[in-house]
Amino acid sequence: MANFNIDAKQDMTYDAIVIGSGISGGWAAKELCEKGLKTLVLERGRIVEHVTDYPTMTLDPWDTELRGSLTPEQKAKHPKGIRSGFIGANNEHFHANDVENPYTEVKPFLWVRAHQMGGRSLLWGKQCYRWSDLDFEANLKDGHGVDWPIRYNDLAPWYTHVEKFAGISGEALGLPQLPDSHFLPPMELNCVEKHVKERIEKEYNGRNMIIGRVAHLTEPINGRGKCQFRNRCDRGCPYGAYFSSNAVTLPAANATGNLTIRPFSIAQSIIYDDESGKATGVRIIDSETGEFMEYHAKIIFCNASTLSSTQILMNSTSDRHPNGLGNASGELGHNLMDHTYRVGAMGKVPGFEDQYYKGRRPNGIYIPRYYNLDEQTKTDNFVRGFGFQGSGGRAGWGAGSNQENFGADFKDGLMKPGPWEFFITGFAECLPNHENKVYLNKEVLDKWGQPTLSIDAEWGENELAMNKQIRKDAKEMLERAGLQDITDFDNEHEMGYGIHEMGTARMGRDPKTSVLNGNNQVHGANNVFVTDGACMTSSSCVNPSLTYMALTARAANFAVSELKKNNL
Amino acid sequence: MNRRNALRRTALLAGSAVAAPTLLSLLQSCKEQKRVDWVPQFLNQEQAVFVSSFVDTILPKTETPGALDVKVDIFMDLMYAKTYDENGQKYVVEEIDKFNANCKDEYGDVFANLSTEDKTAVLKKAEAETAKFNPGVWGTAVGEQKPVGFYRQLKSMALWAYFSSEEVGKNILSYDPIPGAYLGCIPLSDVGNTWSL
Ligand SMILES: Cc1cc2nc3c(=O)[nH]c(=O)nc-3n(C[C@H](O)[C@H](O)[C@H](O)COP(=O)(O)OP(=O)(O)OC[C@H]3O[C@@H](n4cnc5c(N)ncnc54)[C@H](O)[C@@H]3O)c2cc1C
Ligand code: SF4
């Protein structure tokens, strides 16, 4: 999709400005453009055109000299991100440079970022689950954090709205803790997954194992092709088969003729007019020239990703907002959350030697939360709950490394698939805790001389208690499903590994304890909306990005109607 | 003595007077003779001979190509040259030299020069002595990974280099770059070998 209107400098005033072009920014751009607003998207990275800028999308290992290995020079750009295990030569160009964009780990925290048009929508795992009232009412019920200013019913139509356009595949089950989406046909489980599912569902009343719900087309829609099961999504998809800003929302925004994207534009702060009590625009740094510039608009959507949006708000000081835009409550930067990750179990599934599968499914299985749903499932060990992701498959030649064997038979044996293996790993909800926070660090500056973030957060007792339970339950489930050689594990890991950072500019009912209201408006700056993960009041245990999409579409709709009523 | 090893040594020690293997090398095919041209980028001659001999012992030619046919040794040298940092490189050469020194101590010669029997004994011992890789989930090992030691690293790299080569990936394993659909349950006999990707 070529021919974006790429702004040089000529026009400095728009109806709306969107900061960031990732998962949430793309939605803001689409919705605002489609409602007729001339919209400027400020993106700190480069333009990434759908398809033409996916240089590695079809490469087989042998197509490159180093077969996908990173050079020391490439590794040196990602001293932190590399810890995630997700950076390889085939997607390194979509990961932010940690050296140019430093942050300080007061306590260990992994912050995985993507700085280009599309943001992390080019890298994400695409698991998409609706939240339920179990999630939206949790804070109110157990007293951790503040109450969400919205409920499931406020968001349900917006979930449907984004799902219809994004394309989510999955199976409808009618589970109260995991509401169904508007689904495209589900992907298939393989024979061993089907077998494990049957066993688990038989062994445990009320426990389900389902195919993952993912933002992948299993049927073509809107000119996008269906998934070809190549599992090379983090290199960009030539078919536009998974949801990314680049393939889905930004082309739609562009088609309206109302979109302008300005790449290489680091939003430094939001400009606030004390007299009118409104924001008037955004101050940027051109990342290539270092030049400061100002763009103006009636409404501003802040979608730079959870921590970056908070950083921008903290940088936006004025007489009325001396501690950062919307920070009268003192909560800006606080209540950082993530999901625990990498605690679980794995094992071998005996039998099924004659069976195999075809295709590299970019999706796994999901076991929805089963604790603290109601009186029967209540536990005293922790509040809230966790779900599992995982998958089954047959071992490949890699298993040969550990076999105490070598030589002719060994080599030829590795040509055939090995035993069936199956694993699950838990994702637990993280409580909003005021002590988990980020703040500006003026000692450590980025490449452009700007203050960076210090991140000071760690798991609390509740998360660790859940990790214990996850490990225990995972092992037990696999045992009862008949697996052998079971290894249970807790790869103790710091926050950030879940790559689901949320909070730090939470929504709430009371301006004294929150940064945003129920329509994602900044308290005291009504024409500024924050709709990425920064806005989250609690963290649920399911993947959050679908909820950012729905919140963004809802807020954009509200913003435009308020603008029409001259309320902004 | 394995003839292939003889050839390899000849190739790498080109210039030095090794009479018998040179004769043997005349019996090899033209394709194999091309390997005479291989000049390691990173390893020294003796280390390169070691790597060649090692990967050939782990993954010898059978009905299917062996490691040397798909240039596993050449590729490993390239990996050491281009993807290892200085510390990693230092470690590799130290470990190869150590491995050879042990072979000399115990069997009287460097690994490449040992009889097939002795090579087998050396590798069997290494197998038994080195730790295993922990299983991995999503790119990282689970649990606390004990250092696996040089032998297992070398072996796992040899496997990777072999199975990610174009010849093996496209023509030996089952290759299907654009599957088009996911079929969760099909007879293995419909596929044959492991999927290469
Ligand atoms: C490997 C991986 C797997 C994941 N799997 C899942 C999953 O399965 N399900 C799920 O729900 N989530 C998943 N996530 C998380 C998901 O990617 C994020 O939640 C989501 O992308 C956040 O959207 P966003 O719009 O807030 O930010 P991003 O998508 O990160 O985009 C932010 C954009 O803002 C730009 N930006 C930043 N700062 C500035 C600035 N100052 N000025 C201008 N522009 C700026 C960035 O360059 C970027 O383009 C995964 C993430 C990764 C990396
Ligand atoms: S697996 Fe599907 S969505 Fe992912 S890159 Fe391939 S075709 Fe695209």
Side-chain angles (χ1 to χ4, degrees):
Chain A
M1 167 210 36
N3 301 324
F4 279 109
N5 182 11
I6 297 171
D7 175 42
K9 208 155 80 166
Q10 68 277 44
D11 192 354
M12 313 299 271
T13 302
Y14 294 81
D15 294 325
I17 293 176
V18 176
I19 303 172
S21 62
I23 290 186
S24 63
W27 273 103
K30 172 184 172 306
E31 299 296 308
L32 296 172
C33 285
E34 286 182 345
K35 291 184 194 308
L37 269 56
K38 292 280 175 204
T39 304
L40 173 68
V41 172
L42 296 169
E43 169 51 55
R44 76 181 291 151
R46 68 196 160 96
I47 290 286
V48 172
E49 292 274 6
H50 179 50
V51 185
T52 50
D53 286 334
Y54 303 155
T56 58
M57 66 187 178
T58 59
L59 297 181
D60 286 325
W62 48 83
D63 289 331
T64 54
E65 191 194 19
L66 305 175
R67 297 188 198 164
S69 302
L70 293 165
T71 62
E73 295 71 39
Q74 285 174 313
K75 283 185 203 153
K77 286 192 264 173
H78 311 282
K80 293 189 189 259
I82 211 136
R83 277 156 41 198
S84 70
F86 286 122
I87 305 185
N90 290 318
N91 64 19
E92 184 269 336
H93 50 284
F94 289 151
H95 283 268
N97 182 317
D98 291 332
V99 180
E100 291 179 357
N101 303 283
Y103 68 93
T104 303
E105 301 177 68
V106 179
K107 298 193 183 100
F109 189 97
L110 176 66
W111 187 16
V112 176
R113 296 158 294 172
H115 288 165
Q116 70 268 329
M117 174 180 149
R120 285 179 292 182
S121 76
L122 289 167
L123 292 171
W124 70 314
K126 300 156 263 75
Q127 295 286 318
C128 284
Y129 302 93
R130 285 192 185 195
W131 288 25
S132 73
D133 266 334
L134 199 62
D135 301 309
F136 290 108
E137 290 173 358
N139 287 5
L140 179 67
K141 287 192 171 154
D142 62 30
H144 294 277
V146 299
D147 187 21
W148 276 89
I150 56 169
R151 289 292 181 262
Y152 177 69
N153 280 341
D154 297 305
L155 213 49
W158 296 103
Y159 275 127
T160 308
H161 176 80
V162 296
E163 286 160 357
K164 281 186 173 164
F165 196 74
I168 312 292
S169 74
E171 189 186 359
L173 287 168
L175 301 174
Q177 77 274 37
L178 198 73
D180 294 323
S181 289
H182 174 89
F183 283 129
L184 298 172
M187 293 179 182
E188 200 190 337
L189 298 172
N190 63 42
C191 16
V192 153
E193 291 165 341
K194 281 179 195 156
H195 167 78
V196 173
K197 168 188 165 79
E198 251 169 51
R199 291 285 297 260
I200 289 180
E201 291 180 355
K202 203 172 119 218
E203 292 281 323
Y204 298 90
N205 194 13
R207 235 175 260 195
N208 297 279
M209 185 175 128
I210 65 176
I211 183 70
R213 299 173 173 179
V214 272
H216 284 255
L217 301 191
T218 46
E219 274 171 2
I221 51 172
N222 303 328
R224 291 162 56 205
K226 66 176 184 173
C227 177
Q228 302 296 308
F229 293 90
R230 310 170 328 128
N231 201 14
R232 288 176 168 169
C233 312
D234 60 358
R235 312 171 181 196
C237 178
Y239 311 96
Y242 73 84
F243 176 87
S244 67
S245 303
N246 312 57
V248 186
T249 43
L250 293 175
N254 197 41
T256 63
N258 289 328
L259 175 72
T260 301
I261 297 190
R262 192 183 195 287
F264 303 114
S265 305
I266 304 171
Q268 191 270 342
S269 58
I270 292 167
I271 307 160
Y272 184 77
D273 178 35
D274 276 314
E275 233 161 80
S276 62
K278 282 183 195 170
T280 57
V282 180
R283 191 173 294 114
I284 69 151
I285 306 172
D286 184 305
S287 69
E288 292 186 305
T289 65
E291 203 181 339
F292 278 79
M293 275 179 256
E294 291 182 0
Y295 285 90
H296 304 287
K298 295 177 199 127
I299 53 175
I300 294 159
F301 267 68
C302 197
N303 296 93
S305 80
T306 298
L307 298 181
S308 297
S309 285
T310 294
Q311 185 173 7
I312 294 166
L313 295 177
M314 287 177 163
N315 270 331
S316 309
T317 51
S318 58
D319 286 347
R320 174 115 169 247
H321 296 275
N323 301 314
L325 196 63
N327 194 19
S329 63
E331 290 296 332
L332 184 65
H334 291 270
N335 312 297
L336 174 57
M337 300 168 280
D338 184 31
H339 289 145
T340 78
Y341 175 47
R342 290 190 178 152
V343 187
M346 66 204 316
K348 293 199 171 74
V349 183
F352 301 92
E353 285 91 358
D354 303 340
Q355 315 265 306
Y356 209 16
Y357 39 78
K358 174 185 157 74
R360 303 189 296 283
R361 190 188 60 200
N363 183 17
I365 61 98
Y366 192 72
I367 298 174
R369 173 174 161 185
Y370 49 83
Y371 279 112
N372 294 328
L373 306 179
D374 49 27
E375 276 311 309
Q376 270 124 51
T377 55
K378 203 168 147 28
T379 167
D380 293 332
N381 295 341
F382 49 84
V383 297
R384 314 209 183 174
F386 51 82
F388 287 95
Q389 299 186 23
S391 68
R394 294 194 74 161
W397 50 262
S401 302
N402 275 351
Q403 288 169 16
E404 291 193 19
N405 203 354
F406 50 87
D409 292 345
F410 167 75
K411 184 194 75 176
D412 291 335
L414 291 179
M415 310 274 179
K416 299 283 177 217
W420 285 88
E421 295 167 338
F422 182 84
F423 79 92
I424 46 175
T425 154
F427 283 77
E429 172 159 3
C430 173
L431 295 178
N433 172 357
H434 183 81
E435 295 310 314
N436 285 337
K437 58 184 180 289
V438 299
Y439 50 89
L440 286 182
N441 181 343
K442 298 192 172 142
E443 310 283 303
V444 178
L445 303 181
D446 69 11
K447 192 183 164 192
W448 300 272
Q450 294 302 303
T452 55
L453 282 183
S454 285
I455 308 181
D456 181 1
E458 65 186 343
W459 300 124
E461 268 168 39
N462 200 60
E463 288 88 62
L464 297 177
M466 275 196 276
N467 279 354
K468 257 194 203 148
Q469 190 77 46
I470 287 173
R471 181 172 188 166
K472 193 164 156 259
D473 286 10
K475 178 160 184 253
E476 191 197 82
M477 265 191 279
L478 298 196
E479 275 165 5
R480 283 168 69 174
L483 273 76
Q484 297 172 350
D485 296 335
I486 296 168
T487 310
D488 57 310
F489 54 89
D490 180 349
N491 276 6
E492 290 178 16
H493 57 296
E494 59 253 28
M495 280 178 80
Y497 267 84
I499 326 185
H500 294 159
E501 70 285 357
M502 282 174 264
T504 65
R506 69 180 172 197
M507 294 169 80
R509 295 177 187 270
D510 182 353
K512 290 200 191 74
T513 57
S514 62
V515 179
L516 309 171
N517 69 14
N519 291 306
N520 297 77
Q521 292 169 289
V522 171
H523 294 307
N526 264 352
N527 63 337
V528 178
F529 294 80
V530 182
T531 67
D532 56 22
C535 77
M536 304 300 270
T537 314
S538 71
S539 73
S540 177
C541 66
V542 303
N543 305 61
S545 305
L546 181 68
T547 300
Y548 309 165
M549 298 190 213
L551 284 168
T552 303
R554 177 174 174 271
N557 182 60
F558 173 82
V560 175
S561 76
E562 287 295 285
L563 199 60
K564 286 199 180 130
K565 291 184 215 148
N566 282 327
N567 288 343
L568 292 180
Chain B
M1 176 189 278
N2 179 323
R3 296 195 312 177
R4 173 170 300 282
N5 285 344
L7 171 77
R8 301 289 306 121
R9 245 189 355 269
T10 317
L12 291 162
L13 301 176
S16 68
V18 189
T22 311
L23 279 177
L24 278 171
S25 76
L26 296 174
L27 303 172
Q28 307 291 325
S29 72
C30 298
K31 189 179 162 225
E32 285 166 336
Q33 279 191 14
K34 273 198 203 130
R35 300 184 54 84
V36 172
D37 298 336
W38 178 44
V39 180
Q41 300 190 33
F42 166 70
L43 299 169
N44 70 24
Q45 293 286 306
E46 187 177 78
Q47 291 151 358
V49 172
F50 166 77
V51 170
S52 298
S53 174
F54 178 89
V55 301
D56 187 42
T57 314
I58 301 276
L59 300 164
K61 187 180 178 70
T62 57
E63 257 103 87
T64 54
L68 299 181
D69 297 310
V70 301
K71 304 192 168 86
V72 163
D73 46 356
I74 300 180
F75 180 67
M76 284 170 66
D77 174 62
L78 176 80
M79 291 302 291
Y80 295 140
K82 297 220 168 157
T83 70
Y84 277 47
D85 62 14
E86 241 171 80
N87 279 340
Q89 289 179 334
K90 204 171 134 233
Y91 173 77
V92 168
V93 298
E94 277 172 11
E95 290 294 321
I96 294 180
D97 292 348
K98 234 192 269 169
F99 202 96
N100 266 336
N102 284 342
C103 290
K104 265 192 191 154
D105 278 356
E106 284 185 41
Y107 296 93
D109 210 338
V110 293
F111 181 76
N113 290 348
L114 301 183
S115 67
T116 308
E117 219 186 349
D118 287 349
K119 278 185 185 148
T120 305
V122 170
L123 296 190
K124 273 205 168 140
K125 188 159 169 254
E127 277 294 353
E129 280 173 0
T130 17
K132 308 256 165 80
F133 288 104
N134 289 2
V137 171
W138 287 326
T140 43
V142 307
E144 202 168 317
Q145 176 71 61
K146 284 197 213 113
V148 289
F150 184 63
Y151 169 78
R152 203 159 304 286
Q153 282 175 29
L154 202 65
K155 181 183 176 192
S156 104
M157 190 169 174
L159 291 182
W160 170 61
Y162 179 78
F163 284 103
S164 68
S165 70
E166 181 158 13
E167 167 63 17
V168 177
K170 271 192 175 158
N171 302 326
I172 307 228
L173 299 182
S174 301
Y175 177 62
D176 191 7
I178 308 175
Y182 183 76
L183 305 175
C185 258
I186 57 172
L188 172 60
S189 52
D190 286 2
V191 181
N193 283 337
T194 308
W195 294 113
S196 79
L197 299 170

